[in-house]
Amino acid sequence: MEIQKLYDLDDIEFDDITIALVRLAKHIPDHEFFFKINQHNDLKFSRIKDLVFHGIYYDFYFPRFEAYHKHTKTCFTFISNKSSESNQKKLQTELFAEEENIKFLLNNHPEVEYILHSSEQFPDFSVILLAENLAFPIQDYTLSSEEELYQIIQYYE
C-alpha cells in the first residue's frame, strides 16, 4: 500500500521575512543593553533559551531575548549575531577548515550585534525605542527562504 503525500515541497510557496539589524554605538554587555531597552519601553525583554547552531566541529550558542507587546499581541525576539559560547564536539584535522570557534549568524554583517525578529507577517520595529546614544537606528533586512538564517528562524518560531 502506498502512502499518500500530504504536501509537495515544490508546491509550497515560501515568503521572504523581514528582520531588523541592530548595531550598537558602543560595546556593552547584554544585560545592560536590555536593562536600558526595558526602561524606555512597555516591552520587558527577558532571556530565553539560546539558539543552538550545530556545526561540523562546534555547537554554537546564540543568546535570545524575548518580549510580548500587550496591545498588538506581537512577540519580538532579539538574537545575538555573534555566538557567546561554543562547544567543540570533534577535533579539527583539516588544515584549512572553514569553521572556527566563533560564528556569526550573518557572516556578511559582523558589525551587527543583534538580529530582531517579530512574529508578525509585516513587522513594525518602530514600536521598540532604543536609547539614543546606545544604538544606531534599526535597519530593516529581508531574508529569502534560501538563506540559512531564514531556516533557523523558522525552526525556532
Side-chain angles (χ1 to χ4, degrees):
M1 184 180 267
E2 219 175 284
I3 299 174
Q4 184 180 10
K5 281 187 179 181
L6 296 176
Y7 55 87
D8 186 10
L9 288 177
D10 294 333
D11 292 340
I12 297 175
E13 194 174 307
F14 294 105
D15 292 330
D16 294 346
I17 59 173
T18 301
I19 59 173
L21 307 181
V22 179
R23 293 174 175 85
L24 297 182
K26 60 182 179 178
H27 181 71
I28 59 170
D30 291 339
H31 67 275
E32 188 177 330
F33 176 70
F34 287 100
F35 175 76
K36 298 220 186 243
I37 284 183
N38 288 343
Q39 283 182 323
H40 288 87
N41 292 281
D42 292 338
L43 298 164
K44 298 302 174 210
F45 284 92
S46 60
R47 178 102 185 239
I48 59 171
K49 189 175 179 182
D50 287 357
L51 182 149
V52 181
F53 180 88
H54 301 287
I56 297 169
Y57 300 104
Y58 294 92
D59 286 337
F60 301 98
Y61 296 86
F62 298 88
R64 293 189 308 155
F65 301 84
E66 188 174 81
Y68 291 93
H69 194 271
K70 295 174 188 174
H71 302 295
T72 62
K73 308 278 192 255
T74 304
C75 176
F76 291 100
T77 306
F78 276 93
I79 306 167
S80 180
N81 185 35
K82 183 179 178 183
S83 61
S84 64
E85 182 183 339
S86 61
N87 292 334
Q88 188 172 12
K89 60 183 180 180
K90 187 176 169 183
L91 191 61
Q92 283 186 331
T93 55
E94 296 178 26
L95 185 57
F96 297 107
E98 292 183 19
E99 193 171 290
E100 297 180 19
N101 65 342
I102 295 175
K103 177 162 179 58
F104 291 93
L105 290 173
L106 290 170
N107 290 326
N108 296 336
H109 299 284
E111 75 284 356
V112 171
E113 291 291 326
Y114 299 102
I115 299 163
L116 180 56
H117 177 258
S118 171
S119 61
E120 290 290 317
Q121 174 87 20
F122 302 104
D124 180 15
F125 298 115
S126 66
V127 298
I128 299 175
L129 302 173
L130 300 176
E132 207 170 287
N133 297 326
L134 193 61
F136 295 107
I138 293 176
Q139 174 190 353
D140 286 352
Y141 185 83
T142 304
L143 283 177
S144 70
S145 59
E146 291 89 33
E147 294 185 58
E148 184 178 46
L149 182 56
Y150 177 95
Q151 305 298 327
I152 292 169
I153 288 174
Q154 293 300 321
Y155 175 78
Y156 277 92
E157 195 170 70

